[in-house]
């Protein structure tokens, strides 16, 4: 999909962009539909703790909308690396750990003063 | 349509067997997959690699690809006349698609097109696009013009690239790496299925003064030794305009002076903070009089910053 620079045309549509609202919930079926994973694959990821249902004791399971990002990552990894469920769990756990570390590094770099010239 | 040499992309001969193709793909996928790679341009490279593999791993699509003929990478070409009859509908147009779109159709479509053929409502695809904005726009909110050419499947399952242009209003407080949702601006649904969404991956450009961590901002604040010892008021830039900051007497290097709520807005309520990180700056050139005064101070002061060494 190509993103081109703005053209000199009349734009008639202004669209609001929404936060992926952590308060909005998706059912297992909806999350499967949005992410490309099967319900069985999502259930395995939930069982292994990679994505967390809103309430583990509530059935049927519901997930916060922000889980879409992790679920889509899982679908990409499944398709691109032909990973099975255990492989996906390990990969997603490691990716999450890397993201946490990158966030900590960003914070440390932000707080570290630059030399005075 | 521009030709892409899928064998060259994977680094294999045209006679390579399936195992060789797979091995080449796996090696390149580890190197360029956007979820794990830090290589420059990884996402674009991986897209090429993935498309090459999808086409060459399947004997049917590999045969169809081989029958296109051999051209230079990037060369404009048209498939041979009988190719359309053998691998696509005779009415199929090659004018508004690229090679990846062509083989997506040849692969017979996904769950989407098979569902559409049975008259089922099929939801549209979600798409991702990166949007780069300066920090000041992340602070204020902004509008971005998006001109996208999205692949859409027609009722026969053939893909076409359809231009979509619209302006998206990005709310204030978006941070680097955040994903925002543009509802209904993804791929078209089929048979009355809902349209997919467009996800914007926000990239915030580095700022010459402010460093960002979450919704907090950090700014280096150089002070002279006299200012740090005696205290002062200094003008400090913020994204909302300059403000005066009181520096208490006895401020030390590394101290973080907090300017509450002068950081980035949070999505639902409140703001992050701005932290001014104190640095003690010394002049490189001093006059004789200044040096004499510093000498007097040095002789009179009992301050020992290295007392903990002994």
């Amino acid at each position: 999909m190509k993103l081109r620079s703005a053209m000199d045309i009349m734009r008639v549509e202004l669209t609001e962009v929404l936060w992926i609202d952590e308060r909005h919930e998706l059912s297992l079926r909806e999350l499967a539909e949005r992410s490309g994973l099967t319900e069985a694959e999502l259930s395995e990821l939930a069982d292994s703790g990679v994505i967390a249902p809103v309430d583990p004791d509530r059935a049927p399971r519901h997930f916060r909308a922000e889980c879409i990002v992790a679920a889509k990552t899982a679908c990409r990894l499944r398709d691109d690396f032909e990973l099975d469920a255990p492989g996906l769990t390990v990969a997603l756990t490691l990716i999450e750990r890397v993201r946490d570390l990158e966030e900590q590094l960003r914070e440390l770099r932000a707080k570290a003063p630059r030399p005075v010239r | 349509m521009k030709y892409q040499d899928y064998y060259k992309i994977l680094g294999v001969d045209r006679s390579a067997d399936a195992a060789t193709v797979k091995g080449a793909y796996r090696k390149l996928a580890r190197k360029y997959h956007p979820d794990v790679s830090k290589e420059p341009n990884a996402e674009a490279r991986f897209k090429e690699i993935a498309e090459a593999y999808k086409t060459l791993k399947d004997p049917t699509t590999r045969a169809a690809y081989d029958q296109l003929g051999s051209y230079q990478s990037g060369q404009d070409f048209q498939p041979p006349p009988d190719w359309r009859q053998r691998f696509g509908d005779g009415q199929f147009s090659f004018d508004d698609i690229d090679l990846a779109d062509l083989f997506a159709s040849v692969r017979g479509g996904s769950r989407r097109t098979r569902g559409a053929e049975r008259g089922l409502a099929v939801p549209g695809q979600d798409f991702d696009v990166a949007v780069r904005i300066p920090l000041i726009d992340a602070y204020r909110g902004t509008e971005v013009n998006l001109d996208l050419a999205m692949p859409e499947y027609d009722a026969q399952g053939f893909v076409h690239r359809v231009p979509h242009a619209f302006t998206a209003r990005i709310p204030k407080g978006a941070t680097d790496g955040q994903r925002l949702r543009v509802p209904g601006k993804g791929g078209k649904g089929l048979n009355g299925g809902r349209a997919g969404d467009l996800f914007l991956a926000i990239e915030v450009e580095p700022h010459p003064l402010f460093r960002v961590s979450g919704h907090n901002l950090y700014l280096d604040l150089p002070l002279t030794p006299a200012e740090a010892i005696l205290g002062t008021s200094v003008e400090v830039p913020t994204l909302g305009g300059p403000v005066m900051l009181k520096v208490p007497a006895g401020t030390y290097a590394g101290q973080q002076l907090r300017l509450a709520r002068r950081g980035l807005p949070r999505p639902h309520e409140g703001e992050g903070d701005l932290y001014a990180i104190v640095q003690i700056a010394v002049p490189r050139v001093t006059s004789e009089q200044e040096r004499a005064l510093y000498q007097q101070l040095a002789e009179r002061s009992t301050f020992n910053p290295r007392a903990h060494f002994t």
Side-chain angles (χ1 to χ4, degrees):
Chain A
M1 188 168 58
K2 300 174 186 68
L3 176 66
R4 305 196 296 262
S5 59
M7 306 288 282
D8 186 18
I9 57 174
M10 178 71 78
R11 293 187 184 281
V12 297
E13 195 175 359
L14 178 62
T15 301
E16 291 295 330
V17 175
L18 305 179
W19 302 106
I20 295 181
D21 194 342
E22 62 272 13
R23 293 172 293 193
H24 179 59
E25 293 181 7
L26 298 169
S27 67
L28 184 69
R29 187 186 59 78
E30 285 169 328
L31 188 57
E33 187 184 282
R34 302 307 294 250
S35 65
L37 293 174
T38 64
E39 291 186 29
E41 287 167 333
L42 279 167
S43 293
E44 282 216 53
L45 291 179
D47 289 341
S48 60
V50 171
I51 56 170
V54 173
D55 180 350
D57 298 325
R58 176 177 149 201
R61 281 168 164 173
H62 278 68
F63 300 86
R64 293 196 172 82
E66 59 192 2
C67 289
I68 288 176
V69 178
K72 283 177 165 221
T73 302
C75 186
R76 272 200 304 277
L77 293 172
R78 181 199 65 185
D79 293 345
D80 296 340
F81 291 105
E82 297 166 348
L83 291 180
D84 57 14
L88 276 179
T89 299
V90 170
L92 286 170
T93 304
L94 288 171
I95 286 174
E96 188 60 34
R97 179 82 180 121
V98 167
R99 283 182 184 156
D100 279 345
L101 288 169
E102 284 176 337
E103 185 55 42
Q104 287 180 42
L105 190 55
R106 257 195 298 273
E107 193 170 343
L108 285 170
R109 280 187 175 145
K111 288 177 177 172
R114 292 179 194 150
V116 179
R117 292 186 189 176
Chain B
M1 190 186 321
K2 294 210 183 295
Y3 185 74
Q4 284 190 290
D5 189 334
Y6 286 165
Y7 293 99
K8 195 171 169 187
I9 286 171
L10 292 181
V12 299
D13 289 335
R14 292 186 86 91
S15 57
D17 61 19
T20 304
V21 169
K22 189 172 191 174
Y25 166 73
R26 281 186 166 170
K27 200 167 157 191
L28 290 167
R30 272 200 299 280
K31 190 172 177 188
Y32 291 107
H33 195 280
D35 283 317
V36 294
S37 173
K38 292 294 176 198
E39 294 278 338
N41 219 21
E43 191 161 344
R45 278 299 312 269
F46 182 75
K47 197 166 170 254
E48 281 185 339
I49 291 161
E51 182 50 41
Y53 179 59
K54 261 189 237 172
T55 303
L56 296 183
K57 76 174 182 180
D58 179 279
T60 306
T61 51
R62 184 171 177 176
Y65 176 79
D66 289 343
Q67 291 298 314
L68 287 174
S70 188
Y71 307 87
Q72 294 292 318
S73 285
Q75 182 182 346
D76 278 311
F77 82 106
Q78 284 278 325
D82 61 338
W83 195 95
R84 298 176 193 226
Q85 272 68 45
R86 290 177 65 193
F87 300 108
D89 186 280
Q91 302 301 315
F92 194 82
S93 166
F94 296 110
D95 294 334
D96 59 352
I97 61 172
D98 58 23
L99 202 57
D101 297 333
L102 176 66
F103 281 96
S105 288
V106 171
R107 279 192 286 273
S110 52
R111 186 162 48 99
R112 281 194 171 75
T113 51
R114 285 195 294 276
E117 283 160 12
R118 296 199 297 272
L120 299 172
V122 179
Q125 260 185 289
D126 292 337
F127 289 114
D128 290 286
V129 65
V131 174
R132 200 167 161 84
I133 57 173
L135 183 62
I136 191 66
D137 284 353
Y139 173 74
R140 290 181 193 148
T142 188
E143 292 175 2
V144 290
N145 297 325
L146 297 173
D147 275 307
L148 307 172
M150 288 205 204
E152 285 183 11
Y153 288 92
D154 61 26
Q156 285 74 44
F158 295 118
V159 70
H160 305 272
R161 287 205 171 255
V162 179
H164 291 267
F166 59 95
T167 301
R169 193 201 305 277
I170 297 191
K172 58 184 179 179
T175 54
D176 189 65
Q178 192 154 23
R179 275 186 151 67
L180 301 177
R181 186 168 74 96
V182 192
K185 293 297 181 189
K188 219 165 87 173
L190 297 173
N191 296 330
R194 61 154 183 84
D197 294 338
L198 187 65
F199 286 86
L200 306 184
I202 302 295
E203 294 174 5
V204 179
E205 294 169 359
H207 192 277
L209 284 180
F210 301 109
R211 298 186 295 276
V212 184
S213 176
H215 290 88
N216 292 332
L217 299 176
Y218 295 85
L219 169 76
D220 292 331
L221 177 63
L223 298 175
T224 66
E227 286 173 331
I229 291 165
L230 301 173
T232 186
S233 276
V234 294
E235 188 178 271
V236 165
T238 76
L239 289 174
V243 299
M244 293 306 291
L245 170 66
K246 186 170 179 329
V247 178
T251 291
Y252 51 87
Q255 191 169 348
Q256 295 185 14
L257 304 178
R258 180 170 159 253
L259 292 91
R261 297 186 312 279
R262 297 286 180 175
L264 293 177
R266 295 184 193 283
H268 302 296
E269 61 176 50
E271 299 83 17
D273 300 326
L274 168 62
Y275 291 89
I277 304 176
V278 171
Q279 297 176 304
I280 307 300
V282 293
R284 292 192 185 181
V285 176
T286 48
S287 65
E288 271 195 41
Q289 189 183 22
E290 279 174 314
R291 288 183 66 80
L293 287 168
Y294 274 114
Q295 188 63 48
Q296 282 183 40
L297 180 57
E299 287 161 5
R300 281 163 176 76
S301 174
T302 58
F303 174 52
N304 181 7
R306 293 173 298 283
H308 64 286
F309 278 16
T310 52

